[in-house]
Amino acid sequence: MSTLQFWKPGTSGPGSSLDRATETEENVVPSAPSSGAISIQSARERLPIFKHREKLLYCMEKYGVVILVGQTGSGKTTQLPQYLYEAGWAADGNIIACTQPRRVSATSVANRVATEVGTILGEEVGYTIRFEDVSDKQKTRILYLTDGMLFRETLVDPLLSRYSVIMIDEAHERSIYTDLILGLLKKIRRKRPSLRIIVSSATLDATGFRDYFCAGNSPDEATIVSLEGRMYPVEVAYLQEPTADYVRKAAETVWSIHMQQSAGDILVFLTGREEIERCLQELSEYLPTLPRNAPRLKVLALHAGLTTDEQLAVFEPADRGTRKVIISTNIAEASVTIEGIKFVVDSGFVKIRTYNPTSALSSLATVPVSLASATQRAGRAGRTSAGICYRLYPESALRSMPATTPPEITRTDLTTPILQLKSLGVDDLMKFEWVTGPPAEAVLRALENLVAAGMVGEDGRLTVVGEKVAECPVEVNIARMLFASKEYKCGEEMLTIAAMTAVQDVFVIPDGAAGALAELERRKFTAEEGDHLTLLNAYNAFARYGRAASWCKAHALSFRAMSRAVSIRAQLKKYMQRFGLPLESCQGDARRLRECLVSGYWRNGARWVADGTYRSVRGNVTLHVHPNSVLFTRKPRSGWVVFHEMEETKKTQIRILTEIEPDWLLKYGHSFRDKHTGVAVS
DNA sequence: TGCCATCAT
């Protein structure tokens, strides 16, 4: 049995005071839910933000933008909108908005605030997320919404005129919508200075946000207010030497904690499903050596690919005398909070997607986490009591870690965001005041995509189709197919395919024997033309058999994903009706459907080669079919396919393929070339 | 032959 080979700052070694200052996470003791108005009031007054109330209200009068540095549990998200409401910021029909990067946060916070205010959810306090608007046009004064929804609202109301205050919460996460909305808010404030902005962020990013809002404005434009939280200290321990295998080391560390430390659950951060399963395997090999009288160990996996039930299992408290261990991806860093964690084991790595605009290729790579992430992960050990974080790397590695993760806007395909910015009248993208500017190459590539797709003309302005597509919540190439479906008379089917390609993880294929059975189930939907038609078959079967969860389970489909596809389809259907696109059925004529697919995917063509791989039409890159594809083991008769997306992991893979005839590619390829000679398309 | 970090409209 190995012992813990960790060095703990504070017990020995240099540099501990600095480490403690930056890495102690502050957290609040959750207050018990109360029913009576008086106890709610006193609970509100116990929150750390309460004693900053007057100062905050003063700053809201004086400054245009308040950067709020608030620790977890300081009460900023729930309390500040209420203070503003009580101080009259929602008078005269004005609304106080608070954005969240995630749907669940928007709904759960709105719920709690409605209780505190003493109103029915959806009246004075409401929320708006995609597919769910629990707010009232007249009554709602405090509105929680996803940042994506607020961004979308600017397409209809460019000055966001119904709001007096907009709070952008969790801004340090730097989701693409957070960045886009911040850029727009800076612009809006120049035209409508009465609008107040609150940017809530972690310490590391605060001055950056202030400098951003002050640039080109008066120095009084923005100020920083810091709130402390109620904290439990988290001690941080490092490995003395780097490890070659952090998965094995993680299992070893969990086991050592279990043998040596008192009660308390353990949360392990790894990068993906494969690692999690290997770690589970390694741990299972220790289990037989567990002494008879020792506490038991309950080990659970946590990642987004699990079913809802499997995910819920991590929240169940372990039996008495049993320690719970959760082996998780980054989902537990910010999206999922598990109470009762006392020990965190951090691999120090994360999988991150980056987009290469030159090759139009996204890659998913395992990279070291940022200091901000490492701090956030450590903090997960201190939510209910003091805790310890074991980092599976030496302390010296901190020096080479980036301070923060690069914002999403620097790492993604900007085709859709730029279409939307154009629709908002932001025509000169180089002059747009980005919080962090995306690479120029990414902007150029996005513009080129939009021109090629007929959304933007050679003059750089939106075309008639571009104006319509900007409103429509789908990718540009999918929108093109929906428009082309009129010509091919297959609107009904394209609508379903558009919805099904927009959801991920439709088929649930577990590991081992259960996975083999699931594969057999999936084959029942298989269309020989490829994955798009297979998805269509699955959707139609789901609709035919009553959209039931039990039916999904029996057929290896994700009920969550299928239900989401139903919502998306219904939403897109409204857009098609608005755009006058007919909802005709192709009546089983798969050829028409496949041709229609090419109208959107014409740049995603690939040719089969003898070794079973494909070569991309653009760039002649070697492509591997994703094992989930129905064409994984089969050569298409024509030897040609189009695909929905490609991504570089260990290999470059293509997902969701359909067999096509090569001359269909030429048809759309020619129209692209025509555009360069000045002939208008679509 | 062998599999997607997370989130969002």
mmCIF file of all heavy atoms in Angstrom, chain A residues 100 198 201:
data_model
loop_
_atom_site.group_PDB
_atom_site.id
_atom_site.type_symbol
_atom_site.label_atom_id
_atom_site.label_comp_id
_atom_site.label_asym_id
_atom_site.label_seq_id
_atom_site.Cartn_x
_atom_site.Cartn_y
_atom_site.Cartn_z
ATOM 1 N N GLN A 100 -27.440 34.214 -17.115
ATOM 2 C CA GLN A 100 -26.704 33.050 -16.635
ATOM 3 C C GLN A 100 -26.180 32.298 -17.848
ATOM 4 O O GLN A 100 -26.865 32.231 -18.864
ATOM 5 C CB GLN A 100 -27.646 32.116 -15.853
ATOM 6 C CG GLN A 100 -28.187 32.704 -14.573
ATOM 7 C CD GLN A 100 -27.106 32.930 -13.542
ATOM 8 O OE1 GLN A 100 -26.214 32.102 -13.379
ATOM 9 N NE2 GLN A 100 -27.144 34.074 -12.873
ATOM 10 N N ILE A 198 -24.046 45.438 -14.717
ATOM 11 C CA ILE A 198 -23.273 44.797 -13.655
ATOM 12 C C ILE A 198 -22.584 43.589 -14.280
ATOM 13 O O ILE A 198 -23.235 42.792 -14.970
ATOM 14 C CB ILE A 198 -24.178 44.336 -12.500
ATOM 15 C CG1 ILE A 198 -24.912 45.531 -11.882
ATOM 16 C CG2 ILE A 198 -23.361 43.613 -11.425
ATOM 17 C CD1 ILE A 198 -26.135 45.139 -11.098
ATOM 18 N N SER A 201 -17.950 38.668 -11.731
ATOM 19 C CA SER A 201 -16.779 37.943 -12.217
ATOM 20 C C SER A 201 -15.896 37.464 -11.080
ATOM 21 O O SER A 201 -16.004 37.928 -9.953
ATOM 22 C CB SER A 201 -16.000 38.889 -13.138
ATOM 23 O OG SER A 201 -14.628 38.832 -12.897
#
